[in-house]
Amino acid sequence: ARTKRAHAENEKCGPAQLDRMLTEARACMGWLREGSSVPQQQVIRDFAKSRAKALKDIMAAVPMRQRAGMPKYKKKHQDDPSLN
């Protein structure tokens, strides 16, 4: 949601800012602290990389069939987060 809002407002919202938001969220929410922070940070980096590629393809007017799509949410019960 934050990256969509940043894109709409022409702001930058990269992995560094999302990592800071994760750190703040881990301080506030106990259930985030229960798990390791490494997979959470890897998810953020992977999300940022795929979103940057999709936005780059949109700006370059790459045809739809060749364009990378925007990242989608994984369903909680279908896939578990995985380590790189």
Side-chain angles (χ1 to χ4, degrees):
R2 176 65 185 113
T3 58
K4 284 183 182 180
R5 190 172 65 226
H7 180 68
E9 297 171 356
N10 291 326
E11 293 178 4
K12 296 284 184 182
C13 185
Q17 184 176 2
L18 293 173
D19 275 338
R20 283 192 293 275
M21 290 172 62
L22 173 65
T23 303
E24 292 171 8
R26 284 180 62 87
C28 296
M29 299 174 205
W31 62 272
L32 272 177
R33 284 191 302 267
E34 290 175 6
S36 174
S37 65
V38 174
Q40 294 169 354
Q41 290 169 343
Q42 287 178 351
V43 166
I44 287 174
R45 282 194 299 270
D46 292 344
F47 170 79
K49 186 187 298 183
S50 63
R51 189 169 192 288
K53 171 73 170 123
L55 290 175
K56 181 181 170 188
D57 286 353
I58 290 170
M59 294 303 218
V62 174
M64 284 296 287
R65 67 184 183 282
Q66 296 173 346
R67 187 180 296 177
M70 292 298 272
K72 294 180 174 71
Y73 293 105
K74 283 184 176 180
K75 297 211 179 192
K76 180 179 176 181
H77 300 290
Q78 284 182 345
D79 296 320
D80 291 330
S82 56
L83 290 172
N84 294 344

